[in-house]
Amino acid sequence: MTAQLVFAYPGDLSTRTGGYGYDRRMIAGLETLGWDVELLALGDGFPDAGSVVKQNAERLLSALPDGTLLMIDGLAFGILDDWATREAGRLRIVALVHHPLALETGLDADRQSVLRESERRALVHVRHIVVTSQATAQTLVSGFAIRADDITVALPGTDPAPVSACDGDPPHIVSIGSLIPRKAHDVLVDSLKLIEGLPWKATIAGSRDMDPSTARALERQIAALGLHDRILLAGDCDDTRALLATADIFALASRYEGYGMVFAEALSQGVPVIACRAGAIPDVLPSDAGILVAVDDSAGFAEALEKMITDKAFHAEMAAAARRAGERLPGWDDTARTISEALEAIA
């Protein structure tokens, strides 16, 4: 008999972010393995959805028949604690946690506290939790009192893609990530100003729509620093793998990542990485394939960029190590099998 799963998600599943990309590839992989996956859209605005959207989402979920195997993306599930308390006894609920909601950058202390408590209460009622990194699993164990046995780590897969020649003149610095505070593109821009005298060009690709105020602030920052002719804000990118194939350095100063799929993609294309010691990034990036600096350390980020640009032998060693690391990364079929096995074990 075909295995059946309802996958409930917030927002637009076609959105170009790592989290939604993971969701799409997971769904496709499970269907390839024989699962019948029914999609259930919960509405926009999560985790800050208004009461009407939230109530409608709860109504849709409560309409599912008893015994349904239901996976809910954590962006929505983390605020559905009251619903989970009511319905957990009759539904087999699985949470997909990309990263805890309270760890999003830019939240005040009160909002962090509310989200942490609601997500903790919601996770009490699940049959199982799927996470995208060991770092997130450890966070749930240490900060949410979840048993390690109740968590499956299903690392994102990585597709084959063209390897960068890493011989740009000037070196091409690429950054990929939505223009939101957590991605810290402002730190990258400040660091690029500090190495203005070196040869380089930079492309920052990512949606402007998720946080328009942050996008506008980044545009003003680039203009004020006189870097508008050297930094391209490319907006949404149809083919990030093609963009990475042109990169000599991948640089993203994220303040937190639940995994960081784009870091893995850069490695798979032989592009050395400069990033921050935040979330799961140190787990993704081997020490010989990139440089990690402290969060919000523009000077340290600039020093790392300078080293990568000026020391050609060092850059070549890092690029070779990135290619080796990329060859060890899992594929999306591995991700799907891991999740499938976890779902099959749920009573």
Side-chain angles (χ1 to χ4, degrees):
M1 187 175 72
T2 302
Q4 294 183 323
L5 173 71
V6 174
F7 179 69
Y9 62 92
D12 182 354
L13 195 57
S14 67
T15 303
R16 291 172 179 164
T17 66
Y20 281 112
Y22 184 101
D23 292 354
R24 292 191 297 270
R25 296 303 296 268
M26 176 196 69
I27 293 163
L30 289 175
E31 289 177 337
T32 297
L33 292 173
W35 286 83
D36 178 9
V37 182
E38 176 186 342
L39 302 181
L40 181 61
L42 298 179
D44 297 327
F46 287 92
D48 300 312
S51 59
V52 172
V53 172
K54 185 179 177 182
Q55 289 169 8
N56 186 60
E58 292 180 350
R59 179 186 61 78
L60 292 170
L61 292 166
S62 292
L64 295 171
D66 291 358
T68 296
L69 180 59
L70 168 66
M71 176 181 279
I72 308 179
D73 187 290
L75 189 63
F77 186 65
I79 67 166
L80 297 177
D81 47 318
D82 291 335
W83 171 85
T85 301
R86 296 194 304 269
E87 299 283 17
R90 67 178 197 86
L91 299 173
R92 294 179 292 160
I93 302 172
V94 179
L96 172 59
V97 179
H98 296 283
H99 67 78
L101 298 177
L103 296 183
E104 186 63 56
T105 300
L107 302 175
D108 61 35
D110 288 343
R111 184 59 177 158
Q112 285 181 334
S113 179
V114 168
L115 287 174
R116 184 177 294 107
E117 179 59 19
S118 66
E119 192 160 20
R120 185 197 64 77
R121 291 185 64 227
L123 290 174
V124 166
H125 298 289
V126 301
R127 301 286 182 95
H128 202 67
I129 302 169
V130 174
V131 299
T132 60
S133 72
Q134 188 59 47
T136 298
Q138 292 169 350
T139 297
L140 295 183
V141 170
S142 62
F144 290 76
I146 304 296
R147 296 189 319 130
D149 289 347
D150 293 332
I151 302 172
T152 290
V153 178
L155 297 178
T158 304
D159 292 316
V163 173
S164 171
C166 285
D167 60 357
D169 183 18
H172 186 196
I173 300 165
V174 169
S175 188
I176 299 171
S178 299
L179 306 190
I180 60 175
R182 180 165 54 86
K183 299 299 182 179
H185 293 304
D186 57 316
V187 173
L188 172 60
V189 171
D190 280 339
S191 71
L192 290 171
K193 180 64 177 179
L194 293 174
I195 59 166
E196 187 177 16
L198 295 176
W200 55 264
K201 63 178 180 179
T203 300
I204 299 174
S207 172
R208 303 165 182 260
D209 299 332
M210 296 184 70
D211 191 333
S213 64
T214 295
R216 290 192 295 270
L218 192 63
E219 291 172 344
R220 291 193 297 269
Q221 179 190 11
I222 292 170
L225 294 177
L227 297 176
H228 56 277
D229 59 340
R230 298 184 72 182
I231 301 176
L232 172 64
L233 286 181
D236 261 330
C237 180
D238 290 334
D239 190 347
T240 58
R241 309 309 298 275
L243 177 60
L244 282 169
T246 73
D248 299 284
I249 300 167
F250 180 75
L252 180 59
S254 291
R255 297 176 169 107
Y256 181 83
E257 292 287 352
Y259 177 74
M261 286 166 51
V262 72
F263 295 104
E265 290 172 350
L267 294 175
S268 75
Q269 294 182 247
V271 182
V273 173
I274 299 173
C276 297
R277 299 183 197 92
I281 298 171
D283 295 338
V284 180
L285 180 63
S287 60
D288 61 350
I291 302 173
L292 291 175
V293 303
V295 172
D296 286 327
D297 182 3
S298 296
F301 215 86
E303 289 176 10
L305 286 167
E306 180 176 9
K307 174 74 170 175
M308 201 80 79
I309 291 170
T310 60
D311 190 333
K312 302 300 184 184
F314 177 77
H315 178 270
E317 292 172 0
M318 287 267 166
R323 288 194 296 273
R324 292 193 297 270
E327 292 170 355
R328 299 192 296 267
L329 292 168
W332 284 106
D333 54 344
D334 300 311
T335 308
R337 280 195 299 270
T338 298
I339 296 173
S340 179
E341 291 170 0
L343 294 175
E344 289 170 357
I346 296 171

